[in-house]
Amino acid sequence: MQRLSLSSRLALLFAACTAVVSLFAGVLFSRASEAHFIELDQQLLDGKLIGLRRALHDIQSRDSEVKLADELSRQADLSLRITGSDGQRWYDSSANLPDRLPQKPGLSTINNDGADYRVLNAPLFTDKPGSPQLTLLLDITHHQHFLQRMQHLIWLTVGLSALATALLGAWAARSGLRPLRRMSAVASGVSAQSLNARLPEENMPPELAEMAHHFNAMLGRLDDSFQRLSAFSADIAHELRTPLSNLLTHTQVTLTRPRPIEDYREALHSNLEELQWMAQLVNDMLYLAKADHGLLMPSREPLELAEEVDVLLEFFAPLAEDARVTLSREGFGRMEGDRSMLRRALSNLLDNALRFTSADGEILIRIVDQPKGLRLTVENSGDGISEELLPRLFDRFYRADPARHEGSSEHAGLGLAITRSIIRAHGGQIRCESDQGWTRFVIELPKGS
């Protein structure tokens, strides 16, 4: 059965069910027919018994013999035996009657020399003890032949219906499973170049529509992941190409002729800056890779968010003073989380806010303690971000500034992606809003485990 196709299995199951139902119905019909014939025979023999008792009312008279012969002549397949109370045989209407007949009162069935008989035993006089016994024999061979033919017909019908159901079931199953074959065809054609293939959900049966929906959703996720991976690989190559080219060019120029030791020292310092930036880029990429695979496991320790924010504001105060930007905090809140990871996330947001806040602007960190968690916002004044750019801010290597500097050693566009990974690792969510001259990053965090 393991090697049979689903269509073949369904066809065999249909055939088996049809055979069982047909056989059950045939057996019931056969039993009902047999019971009907027994009932008819019982009524016939009971009627004949009344006539025979009337004809044999005076068993000693010659007139009774005439009435008996007349009564028996009306039913050609009816025979009679009369026996005395002592068991002696008095009369047989036919010479071919069996020697031994059932003696128990009532109706019974016997077979003799290939002939079937319905036998009824009853006393001649119901009100006299020691009355002679009447044994009526009705030849029912034709009834039995009919029942046998009917049983053969039932078996033939069962076989033919099972065969017909198997063939029709195979056709129906093959037609009904056509959407599955389309699914298989689509799945076999899926590759890195054809992830945009989809199943037509509107033509699917209700039982397969949900599967088709999930199948299309899976293809969509694969397509999205593949596109992101391709874009990520392209961005990595894009980001690393310029610093590597700079390193190669600078080193080659430095080695074209002998130079003073200070020139070599300056070249090495310049190369070191590029290498440090590249090392930081690789570390950030590994960090994001760990987050994507669920390997970013933050520790849990009690934190006062106000204190952590104040430490960061003190660290960024000199940069803010140079940029003539005001830093401030509002609110308090406690939670459990990883101190270093949360500081890194907030540092990325503060660094991003400082870069896009105009002179004499303001950066405000607001902490709101809510019943189900904490809400933390990092807001900065300045030019807003257009609505269509907001969903892409957390993409890797994405820069909102259209004038993108290739291989910039200051910002690679991974800060917000890392921040989102850290917030998600803590079970929270982050989003960006921008309106009325303010841009705010909104963080929703649970208070603890």
Side-chain angles (χ1 to χ4, degrees), residues 46-126:
D46 287 342
K48 291 298 180 180
L49 180 60
I50 295 174
L52 290 172
R53 281 174 173 168
R54 188 181 301 116
L56 296 173
H57 181 71
D58 187 3
I59 196 171
Q60 301 298 331
S61 67
R62 293 183 56 83
D63 185 50
S64 64
E65 295 184 14
V66 175
K67 292 180 179 179
L68 178 61
D70 182 60
E71 189 70 28
L72 292 175
S73 65
R74 297 177 185 176
Q75 189 77 31
D77 52 358
L78 181 67
S79 302
L80 173 66
R81 171 174 291 177
I82 304 176
T83 57
S85 59
D86 56 356
Q88 293 295 322
R89 189 182 307 172
W90 288 7
Y91 174 79
D92 276 348
S93 64
S94 174
N96 297 324
L97 294 182
D99 292 332
R100 302 185 63 179
L101 294 176
Q103 299 299 318
K104 62 180 181 179
L107 194 68
S108 58
T109 303
I110 65 170
N111 180 276
N112 181 67
D113 294 334
D116 296 296
Y117 297 93
R118 202 84 71 194
V119 180
L120 176 64
N121 286 311
L124 177 59
F125 305 109
T126 57

Coordinates of all heavy atoms in Angstrom, one line a residue, residues 46-126:
D46 N -51.2 -23.4 6.5 CA -52.3 -23.2 7.5 C -53.6 -23.3 6.8 O -54.6 -23.9 7.3 CB -52.1 -21.9 8.2 CG -50.9 -21.9 9.2 OD1 -50.5 -23.0 9.5 OD2 -50.5 -20.8 9.6
G47 N -53.8 -22.7 5.6 CA -55.0 -22.7 4.9 C -55.4 -24.1 4.4 O -56.5 -24.6 4.5
K48 N -54.4 -24.9 3.9 CA -54.6 -26.2 3.5 C -54.9 -27.1 4.7 O -55.7 -28.1 4.6 CB -53.4 -26.8 2.8 CG -53.1 -26.1 1.4 CD -54.3 -26.4 0.5 CE -54.0 -25.8 -0.9 NZ -55.2 -26.0 -1.8
L49 N -54.3 -26.8 5.9 CA -54.6 -27.6 7.0 C -56.1 -27.5 7.4 O -56.7 -28.5 7.8 CB -53.7 -27.2 8.2 CG -53.8 -27.9 9.5 CD1 -53.5 -29.4 9.3 CD2 -52.9 -27.3 10.6
I50 N -56.6 -26.4 7.3 CA -58.0 -26.2 7.7 C -58.9 -27.0 6.7 O -59.9 -27.7 7.1 CB -58.4 -24.7 7.6 CG1 -57.6 -23.9 8.7 CG2 -59.9 -24.5 7.8 CD1 -57.8 -22.4 8.6
G51 N -58.6 -26.9 5.4 CA -59.4 -27.7 4.4 C -59.2 -29.2 4.7 O -60.2 -29.9 4.5
L52 N -58.0 -29.7 5.0 CA -57.8 -31.1 5.2 C -58.6 -31.6 6.5 O -59.1 -32.7 6.5 CB -56.3 -31.4 5.3 CG -55.6 -31.3 4.0 CD1 -54.1 -31.4 4.2 CD2 -56.0 -32.3 2.9
R53 N -58.5 -30.8 7.5 CA -59.3 -31.2 8.7 C -60.8 -31.2 8.4 O -61.5 -32.1 8.9 CB -59.0 -30.1 9.8 CG -57.6 -30.4 10.5 CD -57.3 -29.2 11.5 NE -56.1 -29.5 12.3 CZ -55.5 -28.6 13.0 NH1 -56.0 -27.4 13.1 NH2 -54.4 -29.0 13.7
R54 N -61.3 -30.3 7.6 CA -62.7 -30.4 7.3 C -63.0 -31.6 6.4 O -64.0 -32.2 6.6 CB -63.0 -29.1 6.5 CG -64.6 -29.0 6.3 CD -64.9 -27.7 5.5 NE -64.4 -26.5 6.1 CZ -63.5 -25.7 5.7 NH1 -62.9 -26.0 4.5 NH2 -63.1 -24.6 6.3
A55 N -62.1 -31.9 5.5 CA -62.3 -33.1 4.6 C -62.2 -34.4 5.4 O -62.9 -35.4 5.1 CB -61.3 -33.1 3.5
L56 N -61.3 -34.4 6.5 CA -61.1 -35.6 7.2 C -61.9 -35.6 8.6 O -61.5 -36.3 9.5 CB -59.6 -35.8 7.5 CG -58.7 -36.0 6.3 CD1 -57.3 -36.0 6.7 CD2 -59.1 -37.4 5.6
H57 N -63.0 -34.8 8.6 CA -63.7 -34.7 9.9 C -64.2 -36.1 10.3 O -64.2 -36.5 11.5 CB -64.9 -33.7 9.7 CG -65.7 -33.6 11.0 ND1 -65.2 -32.9 12.1 CD2 -66.9 -34.0 11.3 CE1 -66.1 -32.9 13.0 NE2 -67.2 -33.6 12.6
D58 N -64.7 -36.8 9.3 CA -65.2 -38.2 9.6 C -64.3 -39.1 8.7 O -64.5 -39.4 7.6 CB -66.6 -38.4 9.1 CG -67.1 -39.8 9.6 OD1 -66.4 -40.5 10.2 OD2 -68.3 -40.1 9.2
I59 N -63.2 -39.5 9.4 CA -62.1 -40.2 8.6 C -62.5 -41.6 8.2 O -61.9 -42.2 7.3 CB -60.8 -40.3 9.5 CG1 -59.6 -40.6 8.6 CG2 -61.0 -41.2 10.7 CD1 -58.3 -40.5 9.4
Q60 N -63.6 -42.2 8.7 CA -64.0 -43.5 8.4 C -64.9 -43.6 7.2 O -65.0 -44.6 6.6 CB -64.7 -44.2 9.6 CG -63.9 -44.2 10.8 CD -62.6 -45.1 10.7 OE1 -62.6 -46.0 9.9 NE2 -61.6 -44.8 11.4
S61 N -65.4 -42.5 6.8 CA -66.4 -42.5 5.6 C -65.7 -42.4 4.3 O -64.6 -41.9 4.2 CB -67.4 -41.3 5.8 OG -66.7 -40.1 5.6
R62 N -66.3 -43.0 3.3 CA -65.8 -42.9 1.9 C -65.8 -41.5 1.4 O -65.0 -41.1 0.6 CB -66.5 -43.9 1.0 CG -66.3 -45.4 1.3 CD -67.1 -46.3 0.3 NE -66.6 -46.0 -1.0 CZ -65.5 -46.5 -1.6 NH1 -64.8 -47.4 -0.9 NH2 -65.2 -46.2 -2.8
D63 N -66.8 -40.8 1.9 CA -66.9 -39.4 1.4 C -65.7 -38.6 1.8 O -65.3 -37.7 1.0 CB -68.2 -38.8 2.0 CG -68.4 -37.4 1.4 OD1 -68.4 -37.2 0.2 OD2 -68.6 -36.4 2.2
S64 N -65.0 -38.9 2.9 CA -63.8 -38.2 3.3 C -62.7 -38.4 2.4 O -61.9 -37.5 2.2 CB -63.5 -38.6 4.8 OG -63.1 -40.0 4.8
E65 N -62.6 -39.6 1.8 CA -61.5 -39.9 0.9 C -61.7 -39.1 -0.4 O -60.7 -38.6 -0.9 CB -61.5 -41.4 0.5 CG -61.2 -42.3 1.7 CD -61.1 -43.8 1.2 OE1 -61.0 -44.0 0.0 OE2 -61.1 -44.6 2.1
V66 N -62.9 -38.9 -0.8 CA -63.2 -38.1 -2.0 C -62.8 -36.7 -1.8 O -62.2 -36.0 -2.6 CB -64.7 -38.2 -2.5 CG1 -64.9 -37.3 -3.6 CG2 -65.0 -39.7 -2.8
K67 N -63.2 -36.1 -0.6 CA -62.9 -34.8 -0.2 C -61.4 -34.6 -0.1 O -60.9 -33.5 -0.5 CB -63.6 -34.4 1.1 CG -65.1 -34.3 0.9 CD -65.7 -33.9 2.3 CE -67.3 -33.8 2.1 NZ -67.9 -33.4 3.4
L68 N -60.7 -35.6 0.5 CA -59.3 -35.5 0.6 C -58.6 -35.4 -0.7 O -57.7 -34.6 -0.9 CB -58.8 -36.7 1.5 CG -57.2 -36.7 1.7 CD1 -56.8 -35.5 2.4 CD2 -56.9 -38.0 2.4
A69 N -59.0 -36.3 -1.6 CA -58.4 -36.3 -3.0 C -58.6 -35.0 -3.7 O -57.7 -34.5 -4.4 CB -58.9 -37.5 -3.8
D70 N -59.9 -34.5 -3.5 CA -60.2 -33.2 -4.2 C -59.4 -32.1 -3.6 O -58.9 -31.2 -4.3 CB -61.7 -33.0 -4.0 CG -62.1 -31.7 -4.7 OD1 -62.0 -31.6 -5.9 OD2 -62.6 -30.7 -3.9
E71 N -59.2 -32.1 -2.3 CA -58.4 -31.0 -1.6 C -56.9 -31.0 -2.1 O -56.3 -30.0 -2.3 CB -58.5 -31.1 -0.1 CG -57.9 -30.0 0.7 CD -58.8 -28.7 0.5 OE1 -60.0 -28.8 0.3 OE2 -58.2 -27.6 0.6
L72 N -56.3 -32.3 -2.2 CA -54.9 -32.4 -2.5 C -54.7 -32.1 -4.0 O -53.6 -31.6 -4.4 CB -54.4 -33.8 -2.2 CG -54.3 -34.1 -0.7 CD1 -53.9 -35.6 -0.5 CD2 -53.3 -33.2 0.0
S73 N -55.8 -32.3 -4.8 CA -55.6 -32.1 -6.3 C -55.5 -30.6 -6.6 O -55.1 -30.2 -7.7 CB -56.8 -32.7 -7.0 OG -58.0 -32.1 -6.7
R74 N -55.9 -29.8 -5.7 CA -55.9 -28.3 -5.9 C -54.5 -27.8 -5.8 O -54.2 -26.6 -6.2 CB -56.8 -27.6 -5.0 CG -58.3 -28.0 -5.1 CD -59.1 -27.3 -4.1 NE -60.5 -27.7 -4.1 CZ -61.5 -27.3 -3.3 NH1 -61.1 -26.5 -2.3 NH2 -62.7 -27.8 -3.4
Q75 N -53.6 -28.4 -5.2 CA -52.2 -28.0 -5.0 C -51.3 -29.1 -5.4 O -51.0 -30.1 -4.7 CB -52.0 -27.6 -3.5 CG -50.7 -26.9 -3.2 CD -50.7 -25.4 -3.6 OE1 -51.8 -24.8 -3.5 NE2 -49.6 -24.9 -4.0
A76 N -50.7 -29.0 -6.6 CA -49.9 -30.1 -7.2 C -48.7 -30.3 -6.4 O -48.2 -31.5 -6.3 CB -49.6 -29.8 -8.6
D77 N -48.1 -29.3 -5.8 CA -46.8 -29.5 -5.1 C -47.0 -29.7 -3.6 O -46.1 -29.6 -2.8 CB -45.9 -28.2 -5.2 CG -46.6 -26.9 -4.9 OD1 -47.8 -27.0 -4.5 OD2 -46.0 -25.8 -4.9
L78 N -48.2 -30.1 -3.2 CA -48.6 -30.4 -1.8 C -48.8 -31.9 -1.6 O -49.4 -32.5 -2.4 CB -49.8 -29.6 -1.4 CG -50.3 -29.8 0.1 CD1 -49.2 -29.2 1.0 CD2 -51.7 -29.2 0.3
S79 N -48.2 -32.4 -0.6 CA -48.3 -33.9 -0.2 C -48.7 -34.0 1.2 O -48.6 -33.1 2.0 CB -47.0 -34.6 -0.5 OG -46.5 -34.5 -1.8
L80 N -49.3 -35.2 1.5 CA -49.8 -35.4 2.9 C -49.5 -36.8 3.4 O -49.5 -37.8 2.6 CB -51.4 -35.3 2.9 CG -52.1 -35.6 4.1 CD1 -51.7 -34.6 5.3 CD2 -53.6 -35.6 3.9
R81 N -49.1 -36.8 4.7 CA -48.9 -38.1 5.3 C -49.8 -38.0 6.6 O -49.7 -37.0 7.3 CB -47.5 -38.3 5.7 CG -47.2 -39.5 6.6 CD -45.8 -39.8 6.7 NE -45.2 -40.3 5.5 CZ -43.9 -40.6 5.3 NH1 -43.0 -40.4 6.3 NH2 -43.5 -41.1 4.1
I82 N -50.5 -39.2 6.8 CA -51.2 -39.3 8.1 C -50.7 -40.5 8.9 O -50.5 -41.6 8.3 CB -52.7 -39.6 7.8 CG1 -53.3 -38.5 6.8 CG2 -53.5 -39.7 9.0 CD1 -54.7 -38.7 6.4
T83 N -50.4 -40.2 10.1 CA -49.8 -41.2 11.0 C -50.7 -41.3 12.2 O -51.3 -40.3 12.7 CB -48.4 -40.9 11.4 OG1 -48.4 -39.6 12.0 CG2 -47.5 -40.9 10.2
G84 N -50.8 -42.5 12.8 CA -51.6 -42.7 14.0 C -50.8 -42.2 15.2 O -49.7 -41.8 15.1
S85 N -51.5 -42.2 16.3 CA -50.9 -41.8 17.6 C -49.8 -42.7 18.0 O -48.9 -42.2 18.7 CB -52.0 -41.7 18.7 OG -52.6 -43.0 18.8
D86 N -49.8 -43.9 17.5 CA -48.7 -44.8 17.8 C -47.5 -44.7 16.8 O -46.6 -45.5 16.9 CB -49.2 -46.2 17.8 CG -49.9 -46.6 16.5 OD1 -50.0 -45.7 15.6 OD2 -50.3 -47.8 16.4
G87 N -47.6 -43.8 15.9 CA -46.5 -43.6 14.9 C -46.7 -44.4 13.6 O -45.8 -44.4 12.8
Q88 N -47.7 -45.2 13.6 CA -47.9 -46.0 12.4 C -48.4 -45.2 11.2 O -49.2 -44.3 11.4 CB -48.9 -47.1 12.6 CG -48.5 -48.2 13.6 CD -47.3 -49.0 13.1 OE1 -47.3 -49.3 11.9 NE2 -46.4 -49.3 14.0
R89 N -47.8 -45.4 10.0 CA -48.2 -44.6 8.9 C -49.5 -45.1 8.3 O -49.7 -46.3 7.9 CB -47.1 -44.8 7.8 CG -47.2 -43.8 6.6 CD -46.1 -44.1 5.6 NE -44.8 -44.0 6.2 CZ -43.7 -44.3 5.6 NH1 -43.8 -44.8 4.3 NH2 -42.5 -44.3 6.2
W90 N -50.5 -44.2 8.2 CA -51.8 -44.6 7.7 C -52.0 -44.2 6.3 O -52.6 -45.0 5.5 CB -52.9 -43.8 8.5 CG -53.1 -44.3 9.9 CD1 -52.3 -45.2 10.6 CD2 -54.1 -43.8 10.8 NE1 -52.8 -45.4 11.9 CE2 -53.9 -44.5 12.1 CE3 -55.1 -42.9 10.8 CZ2 -54.7 -44.3 13.2 CZ3 -55.9 -42.7 11.9 CH2 -55.7 -43.4 13.1
Y91 N -51.4 -43.1 5.9 CA -51.7 -42.7 4.5 C -50.5 -41.8 4.0 O -50.0 -41.0 4.7 CB -53.0 -41.9 4.5 CG -53.3 -41.3 3.2 CD1 -53.9 -42.0 2.1 CD2 -53.1 -39.9 2.9 CE1 -54.2 -41.4 0.9 CE2 -53.4 -39.3 1.7 CZ -54.0 -40.1 0.7 OH -54.2 -39.5 -0.5
D92 N -50.2 -42.0 2.7 CA -49.2 -41.2 2.0 C -49.9 -40.8 0.7 O -50.3 -41.7 -0.1 CB -47.9 -41.9 1.7 CG -46.9 -41.8 2.8 OD1 -47.2 -41.0 3.8 OD2 -45.9 -42.5 2.8
S93 N -49.9 -39.5 0.4 CA -50.6 -39.1 -0.9 C -49.6 -39.3 -2.1 O -50.1 -39.2 -3.2 CB -50.9 -37.6 -0.8 OG -49.8 -36.8 -0.6
S94 N -48.4 -39.5 -1.8 CA -47.4 -39.8 -2.9 C -46.4 -40.9 -2.5 O -46.1 -41.0 -1.3 CB -46.6 -38.5 -3.2 OG -45.6 -38.7 -4.1
A95 N -46.0 -41.6 -3.5 CA -45.1 -42.7 -3.1 C -43.7 -42.2 -3.0 O -42.8 -43.0 -2.5 CB -45.2 -43.8 -4.3
N96 N -43.4 -41.0 -3.3 CA -42.0 -40.5 -3.3 C -41.7 -39.7 -2.0 O -40.7 -39.0 -1.9 CB -41.8 -39.6 -4.5 CG -41.9 -40.3 -5.8 OD1 -41.5 -41.5 -5.9 ND2 -42.4 -39.6 -6.8
L97 N -42.6 -39.8 -1.0 CA -42.3 -39.1 0.2 C -41.2 -39.7 1.0 O -41.0 -40.9 1.0 CB -43.6 -39.0 1.1 CG -44.8 -38.3 0.5 CD1 -45.9 -38.3 1.5 CD2 -44.4 -36.9 0.2
P98 N -40.4 -38.8 1.7 CA -39.3 -39.4 2.5 C -39.8 -40.3 3.6 O -40.9 -40.1 4.1 CB -38.6 -38.1 3.1 CG -39.1 -37.0 2.2 CD -40.4 -37.4 1.7
D99 N -39.0 -41.3 3.9 CA -39.4 -42.2 5.0 C -39.4 -41.5 6.3 O -40.3 -41.8 7.1 CB -38.4 -43.4 5.0 CG -38.6 -44.3 3.8 OD1 -39.7 -44.3 3.2 OD2 -37.6 -44.9 3.4
R100 N -38.4 -40.7 6.6 CA -38.3 -40.1 7.9 C -38.6 -38.6 7.7 O -37.9 -37.9 7.0 CB -36.9 -40.3 8.5 CG -36.6 -41.8 8.6 CD -35.3 -41.9 9.3 NE -35.3 -41.4 10.7 CZ -34.3 -41.5 11.6 NH1 -33.2 -42.0 11.2 NH2 -34.5 -40.9 12.8
L101 N -39.6 -38.1 8.5 CA -39.9 -36.7 8.5 C -39.9 -36.1 9.9 O -40.0 -36.9 10.9 CB -41.4 -36.5 8.0 CG -41.6 -36.9 6.5 CD1 -43.1 -36.8 6.1 CD2 -40.8 -36.0 5.6
P102 N -39.7 -34.9 10.0 CA -39.7 -34.3 11.4 C -41.0 -34.5 12.1 O -42.0 -34.5 11.5 CB -39.5 -32.8 11.1 CG -38.9 -32.7 9.7 CD -39.5 -33.9 9.0
Q103 N -40.8 -34.8 13.4 CA -42.0 -35.1 14.2 C -42.4 -33.9 15.1 O -43.5 -34.0 15.7 CB -41.7 -36.3 15.1 CG -41.4 -37.6 14.4 CD -42.5 -38.0 13.5 OE1 -43.7 -38.0 13.9 NE2 -42.2 -38.5 12.3
K104 N -41.6 -32.9 15.2 CA -41.9 -31.8 16.1 C -43.0 -31.0 15.5 O -43.1 -30.8 14.3 CB -40.7 -30.9 16.4 CG -40.1 -30.3 15.1 CD -38.9 -29.4 15.5 CE -38.3 -28.8 14.2 NZ -37.2 -27.9 14.5
P105 N -43.9 -30.5 16.3 CA -45.0 -29.6 15.8 C -44.5 -28.3 15.2 O -43.4 -27.9 15.5 CB -45.9 -29.3 17.0 CG -45.4 -30.3 18.1 CD -44.0 -30.7 17.8
G106 N -45.3 -27.8 14.3 CA -44.9 -26.5 13.7 C -44.2 -26.7 12.3 O -44.3 -27.8 11.7
L107 N -43.6 -25.6 11.8 CA -43.0 -25.6 10.5 C -41.6 -25.9 10.5 O -40.8 -25.4 11.4 CB -43.3 -24.2 9.9 CG -43.1 -24.1 8.4 CD1 -44.2 -24.8 7.6 CD2 -43.1 -22.6 8.0
S108 N -41.1 -26.6 9.6 CA -39.6 -26.9 9.4 C -39.3 -27.1 7.9 O -40.3 -27.2 7.1 CB -39.2 -28.1 10.2 OG -40.0 -29.3 9.8
T109 N -38.0 -27.2 7.6 CA -37.6 -27.3 6.2 C -36.6 -28.5 6.1 O -35.7 -28.6 7.0 CB -36.9 -26.0 5.7 OG1 -37.8 -24.9 5.9 CG2 -36.5 -26.2 4.3
I110 N -36.8 -29.4 5.1 CA -35.9 -30.5 4.9 C -35.5 -30.6 3.5 O -36.2 -29.9 2.6 CB -36.6 -31.8 5.4 CG1 -37.8 -32.1 4.4 CG2 -37.0 -31.8 6.8 CD1 -38.4 -33.5 4.6
N111 N -34.5 -31.4 3.2 CA -34.0 -31.6 1.8 C -34.0 -33.1 1.7 O -33.4 -33.9 2.5 CB -32.6 -31.0 1.6 CG -32.1 -31.3 0.2 OD1 -31.5 -32.3 -0.1 ND2 -32.4 -30.3 -0.7
N112 N -34.5 -33.6 0.5 CA -34.5 -35.1 0.3 C -34.3 -35.3 -1.2 O -35.1 -34.8 -2.0 CB -35.8 -35.7 0.7 CG -35.9 -37.2 0.5 OD1 -35.1 -37.9 1.1 ND2 -36.7 -37.6 -0.4
D113 N -33.2 -36.0 -1.6 CA -32.9 -36.3 -3.0 C -32.9 -35.1 -3.9 O -33.5 -35.1 -5.0 CB -33.9 -37.3 -3.5 CG -33.7 -38.7 -2.8 OD1 -32.6 -39.0 -2.3 OD2 -34.7 -39.5 -2.7
G114 N -32.3 -34.0 -3.4 CA -32.2 -32.8 -4.2 C -33.5 -31.9 -4.2 O -33.5 -30.9 -4.9
A115 N -34.5 -32.4 -3.5 CA -35.8 -31.6 -3.4 C -35.9 -31.0 -2.0 O -35.5 -31.6 -1.0 CB -37.0 -32.4 -3.8
D116 N -36.4 -29.8 -2.0 CA -36.6 -29.1 -0.7 C -38.1 -29.0 -0.4 O -38.9 -28.8 -1.3 CB -36.0 -27.7 -0.8 CG -34.5 -27.7 -1.0 OD1 -33.8 -28.2 -0.1 OD2 -34.1 -27.2 -2.0
Y117 N -38.4 -29.3 0.9 CA -39.8 -29.3 1.4 C -39.9 -28.4 2.6 O -39.0 -28.4 3.5 CB -40.2 -30.7 1.7 CG -40.2 -31.7 0.6 CD1 -39.1 -32.5 0.3 CD2 -41.3 -31.8 -0.3 CE1 -39.0 -33.4 -0.7 CE2 -41.3 -32.7 -1.3 CZ -40.2 -33.5 -1.6 OH -40.1 -34.4 -2.6
R118 N -41.1 -27.8 2.6 CA -41.5 -27.1 3.9 C -42.5 -28.1 4.5 O -43.5 -28.5 3.9 CB -42.2 -25.8 3.6 CG -42.2 -24.9 4.7 CD -40.9 -24.1 4.8 NE -40.8 -23.1 3.8 CZ -39.6 -22.5 3.5 NH1 -38.5 -22.8 4.1 NH2 -39.6 -21.6 2.5
V119 N -42.3 -28.5 5.8 CA -43.0 -29.5 6.5 C -43.8 -28.8 7.6 O -43.2 -28.1 8.4 CB -42.1 -30.6 7.0 CG1 -42.9 -31.7 7.8 CG2 -41.3 -31.2 5.9
L120 N -45.1 -29.2 7.7 CA -45.9 -28.7 8.8 C -46.6 -29.9 9.5 O -47.3 -30.7 8.9 CB -47.0 -27.7 8.3 CG -48.0 -27.2 9.3 CD1 -47.3 -26.4 10.4 CD2 -49.1 -26.4 8.7
N121 N -46.3 -30.1 10.8 CA -46.9 -31.1 11.6 C -48.0 -30.5 12.5 O -47.8 -29.5 13.2 CB -45.8 -31.8 12.5 CG -44.9 -32.7 11.7 OD1 -45.4 -33.5 10.9 ND2 -43.6 -32.5 11.9
A122 N -49.2 -31.2 12.5 CA -50.3 -30.7 13.3 C -51.2 -31.9 13.6 O -51.4 -32.8 12.7 CB -51.0 -29.6 12.6
P123 N -51.9 -31.9 14.7 CA -52.9 -33.0 15.0 C -54.1 -32.8 14.1 O -54.5 -31.7 13.8 CB -53.2 -32.8 16.5 CG -52.9 -31.4 16.8 CD -51.8 -31.0 15.8
L124 N -54.8 -33.9 13.8 CA -56.0 -33.8 13.0 C -57.1 -33.2 13.8 O -57.9 -32.4 13.3 CB -56.4 -35.3 12.5 CG -57.7 -35.4 11.8 CD1 -57.7 -34.5 10.5 CD2 -58.0 -36.8 11.4
F125 N -57.2 -33.7 15.1 CA -58.3 -33.1 16.0 C -57.6 -32.4 17.1 O -56.9 -33.1 17.9 CB -59.2 -34.2 16.5 CG -59.8 -35.1 15.4 CD1 -59.4 -36.4 15.2 CD2 -60.8 -34.5 14.6 CE1 -60.0 -37.2 14.2 CE2 -61.4 -35.3 13.6 CZ -61.0 -36.6 13.4
T126 N -57.7 -31.1 17.2 CA -57.0 -30.4 18.2 C -57.6 -30.6 19.6 O -57.0 -30.3 20.6 CB -57.1 -28.9 17.8 OG1 -58.5 -28.5 17.7 CG2 -56.4 -28.6 16.5

